[in-house]
């Protein structure tokens, strides 16, 4: 069954949600014209760093997108495009904050971006604290420490994306989920075990599960429609 999630209750969903990534102008234009996108995903992530559009170009298209929006302007050291400075990323997020349901801020930028984080939360925009560790999952203490930091900083959800080298790495992520009672957790693997991890973690309680709409923007992503379909089936 496709899920109809209102912006307000999104972070309280008791079902795994699928995030479709929009990272090209072509996809942005296509989805701005789509009347019924509910089959493929529950919300759309706009990768502002990859799109790198001026607000005058971006806003009219973003305003026509038919699903709740998650805005991301990724830090260059966590996979962000165009080597954007903190000021540029803050400005990108700020210029579209009124259109957002959620924004994603790396935990490493929490202090730099704290005014934006509190501004967003005051306006009812949920803020995800994220951590991307590409080559392999860090030690359990680092994973748990990131979650604890995010909770102390009052992020509304925590997201961790990391390459998985073995099934044991996937098991370590699964074990984090039962501790997530205080805030939603969004966990995903990348690499060869990425697809399996996204299904398993989604079904074990990971809230936001990313899939591609055009071409993958991370190794190990499934397409959003397939992720949606398989999560519904298992
Ligand atoms: O952080 C994430 C997760 C992601 O990297 C993935 O692995 O699907 C895709 C990114 O667009 C998003 O910002």
């Amino acid at each position: 069954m496709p899920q109809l999630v209102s912006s307000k209750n999104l972070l309280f969903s008791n079902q795994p949600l699928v995030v479709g990534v929009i990272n090209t102008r072509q996809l942005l234009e296509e989805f701005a014209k789509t009347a019924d996108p509910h089959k493929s995903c529950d919300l759309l992530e706009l990768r502002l760093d990859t799109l790198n559009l001026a607000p005058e170009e971006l806003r009219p298209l973003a305003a026509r997108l038919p699903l709740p929006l998650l805005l991301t302007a990724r830090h260059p050291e966590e996979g962000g495009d165009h080597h954007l400075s903190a000021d540029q990323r803050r400005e990108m997020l700020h210029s579209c904050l009124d259109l957002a349901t959620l924004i994603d801020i790396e935990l490493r930028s929490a202090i730099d971006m704290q005014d934006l984080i509190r501004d967003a939360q005051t306006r009812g925009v949920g803020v995800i604290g994220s951590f991307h560790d590409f080559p392999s999952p860090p030690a359990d203490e680092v994973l748990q420490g990131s979650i604890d930091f995010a909770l102390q900083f009052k992020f509304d959800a925590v997201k961790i994306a990391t390459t998985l080298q073995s099934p044991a790495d996937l098991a370590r992520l699964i074990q984090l989920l039962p501790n997530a009672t205080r805030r939603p957790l969004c966990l995903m693997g990348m690499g060869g075990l990425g697809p399996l991890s996204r299904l398993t973690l989604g079904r074990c309680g990971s809230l936001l599960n990313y899939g591609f709409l055009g071409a993958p923007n991370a190794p190990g992503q499934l397409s959003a429609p397939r992720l949606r379909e398989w999560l519904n089936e298992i």
Side-chain angles (χ1 to χ4, degrees):
M1 275 276 293
Q3 298 183 30
L4 295 173
V5 183
S6 93
S7 310
K8 295 269 178 267
N9 66 17
L10 210 132
L11 287 179
F12 300 98
S13 166
N14 57 10
Q15 289 298 310
L17 302 178
V18 173
V19 182
V21 179
I22 296 205
N23 57 344
T24 64
R25 192 192 173 108
Q26 190 188 337
L27 274 176
L28 178 59
E29 287 174 347
E30 205 177 291
F31 272 77
K33 284 189 237 138
T34 307
D36 179 17
H38 291 294
K39 286 184 209 77
S40 52
C41 53
D42 300 296
L43 63 158
L44 295 168
E45 180 194 46
L46 282 190
R47 277 293 299 255
L48 301 180
D49 56 304
T50 314
L51 289 163
N52 203 19
L53 296 171
E56 321 71 271
E57 287 186 275
L58 180 68
R59 283 186 55 88
L61 291 166
R64 293 212 300 274
L65 292 171
L67 286 172
L69 299 187
L70 158 58
L71 303 184
T72 302
R74 181 69 65 236
H75 192 295
E77 287 182 33
E78 298 204 22
D81 285 316
H82 295 108
H83 304 286
L84 301 172
S85 67
D87 283 347
Q88 288 171 308
R89 286 180 282 118
R90 189 186 299 104
E91 192 42 48
M92 276 181 168
L93 290 165
H94 193 259
S95 70
C96 289
L97 201 53
D98 59 316
L99 303 175
T101 295
L102 298 173
I103 60 172
D104 175 326
I105 306 275
E106 297 78 19
L107 296 178
R108 71 165 79 205
S109 301
I111 308 284
D112 273 354
M113 302 274 181
Q114 60 185 320
D115 289 351
L116 175 67
I117 293 170
R118 301 301 170 228
D119 184 14
Q121 290 175 325
T122 305
R123 298 189 198 192
V125 176
V127 186
I128 303 169
S130 65
F131 176 53
H132 312 82
D133 183 83
F134 289 108
S136 62
D140 289 346
E141 303 76 58
V142 177
L143 290 173
Q144 192 55 55
S146 315
I147 295 170
D148 293 343
F149 171 81
L151 295 176
Q152 278 161 16
F153 208 86
K154 301 206 183 327
F155 279 100
D156 300 292
V158 189
K159 188 186 80 182
I160 300 176
T162 178
T163 302
L164 302 177
Q165 301 293 350
S166 67
D169 286 345
L170 173 55
R172 289 172 55 214
L173 293 189
I174 293 171
Q175 279 167 9
L176 292 171
L177 286 164
N179 296 326
T181 45
R182 292 167 295 169
R183 285 280 190 287
L185 270 191
C186 315
L187 303 180
M188 67 215 70
M190 291 180 289
L193 287 167
L196 175 66
S197 76
R198 287 163 198 249
L199 293 170
T200 310
L201 292 162
R203 269 294 153 217
C204 290
S206 172
L207 180 66
L208 302 180
N209 304 281
Y210 293 67
F212 64 88
L213 296 168
N217 74 334
Q221 268 178 343
L222 289 163
S223 79
R226 181 171 290 178
L227 183 58
R228 166 81 290 144
E229 187 189 335
W230 287 358
L231 280 174
N232 284 341
E233 273 183 27
I234 59 177

